[in-house]
């Protein structure tokens, strides 16, 4: 069963479009997962904020007691609680920043892939739509004489993809 170049071009374009759709779908799913993780993290931060508020309120109530407020034991406990809270919050903030960096890297990666696929799809759009049959022997001979794919395409006024396809069919490249 032989396919015409238009049918083959359509099939390849359809395949590239399908891959692009799957990449976009994959990116959407990953964004949804990241959103869910971020929402869980926000709930955890809110719970920590409530605990911090309760702890600060408890510290203020205990400060009202003069004996406890003036003792070195009381000051040591307050300092320890404050340092523990600051340490926990700084760790949480660091974790959030790492997650944000990971999300940014993932987003950049998928944007690069989408741009690459769009470029390839555009490249398919530059094929010659005329009914002229390209002399396959001439393409093979030019390539074997050292011509580059781009040079052959310019010389014969055909698309780069068509030259590559012809060379692949001839088992040269």
């Amino acid at each position: 069963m032989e396919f015409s170049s238009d049918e083959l071009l359509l099939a390849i374009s359809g395949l590239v479009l399908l891959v692009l759709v799957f990449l976009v779908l994959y990116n959407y799913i990953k964004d949804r997962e990241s959103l869910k993780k971020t929402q869980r993290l926000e709930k955890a931060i809110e719970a920590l904020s409530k605990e911090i508020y309760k702890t600060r309120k408890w510290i203020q109530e205990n400060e009202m007691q003069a004996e406890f407020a003036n003792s070195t034991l009381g000051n040591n406990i307050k300092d320890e609680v404050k340092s523990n809270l600051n340490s926990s919050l700084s760790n949480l903030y660091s974790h959030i920043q790492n997650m944000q960096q990971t999300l940014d890297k993932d987003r950049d990666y998928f944007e690069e892939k989408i741009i690459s696929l769009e470029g390839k799809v555009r490249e398919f759009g530059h094929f010659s739509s005329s009914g002229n049959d390209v002399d396959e022997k001439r393409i093979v001979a030019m390539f074997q004489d050292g011509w580059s794919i781009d040079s052959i395409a310019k010389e014969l006024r055909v698309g780069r993809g068509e030259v590559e396809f012809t060379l692949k069919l001839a088992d040269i490249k």
Side-chain angles (χ1 to χ4, degrees):
M1 175 182 235
E2 291 186 12
F3 295 102
S4 70
S5 63
D6 288 340
E7 291 173 336
L8 187 59
L9 177 62
L10 183 61
I12 292 173
S13 298
L15 183 61
V16 169
L17 184 60
L18 184 63
V19 168
L20 181 63
V21 168
F22 279 117
L23 280 176
V24 169
L25 182 62
Y26 179 77
N27 191 21
Y28 174 76
I29 291 170
K30 285 297 181 180
D31 279 346
R32 294 280 298 184
E33 289 176 7
S34 298
L35 179 64
K36 288 178 183 177
K37 288 179 183 179
T38 304
Q39 288 173 344
R40 284 187 291 207
L41 188 59
E42 288 174 351
K43 288 179 182 178
I45 291 172
E46 186 175 318
L48 280 175
S49 295
K50 288 178 182 178
E51 286 297 319
I52 291 170
Y53 175 75
K54 289 177 184 178
T55 305
R56 286 184 179 167
K57 187 175 179 180
W58 178 78
I59 290 173
Q60 287 176 353
E61 289 172 358
N62 288 330
E63 284 179 344
M64 292 181 195
Q65 300 173 0
E67 299 169 352
F68 183 75
N70 292 330
S71 72
T72 55
L73 178 62
N75 289 333
N76 289 342
I77 291 174
K78 283 189 278 184
D79 291 340
E80 188 175 332
V81 168
K82 286 181 183 178
S83 70
N84 286 342
L85 284 174
N86 286 336
S87 173
S88 296
L89 289 175
S90 65
N91 288 340
L92 183 62
Y93 182 71
S94 164
H95 185 66
I96 290 172
Q97 285 181 326
N98 289 339
M99 285 180 61
Q100 183 63 40
Q101 289 172 351
T102 302
L103 288 173
D104 290 342
K105 287 178 185 177
D106 288 346
R107 182 170 284 126
D108 291 342
Y109 172 77
F110 285 117
E111 286 175 356
E112 288 175 15
K113 288 294 183 185
I114 289 172
I115 289 170
S116 172
L117 285 173
E118 287 174 347
K120 290 179 181 180
V121 169
R122 277 192 213 107
E123 186 176 285
F124 287 125
H126 294 293
F127 281 9
S128 174
S129 61
S130 66
N132 299 341
D133 289 332
V134 176
D135 187 9
E136 294 175 3
K137 291 178 183 177
R138 186 170 177 199
I139 290 175
V140 171
M142 290 174 77
F143 186 76
Q144 289 174 342
D145 289 341
W147 287 62
S148 71
I149 292 174
D150 291 328
S151 300
I152 295 170
K154 286 180 185 176
E155 179 70 22
L156 299 178
R157 294 186 179 126
V158 295
R160 184 178 192 277
E162 190 170 346
V163 173
E164 289 177 343
F165 181 71
T166 302
L167 292 173
K168 283 181 185 178
L169 286 177
D171 287 331
I172 292 179
K173 184 164 182 201

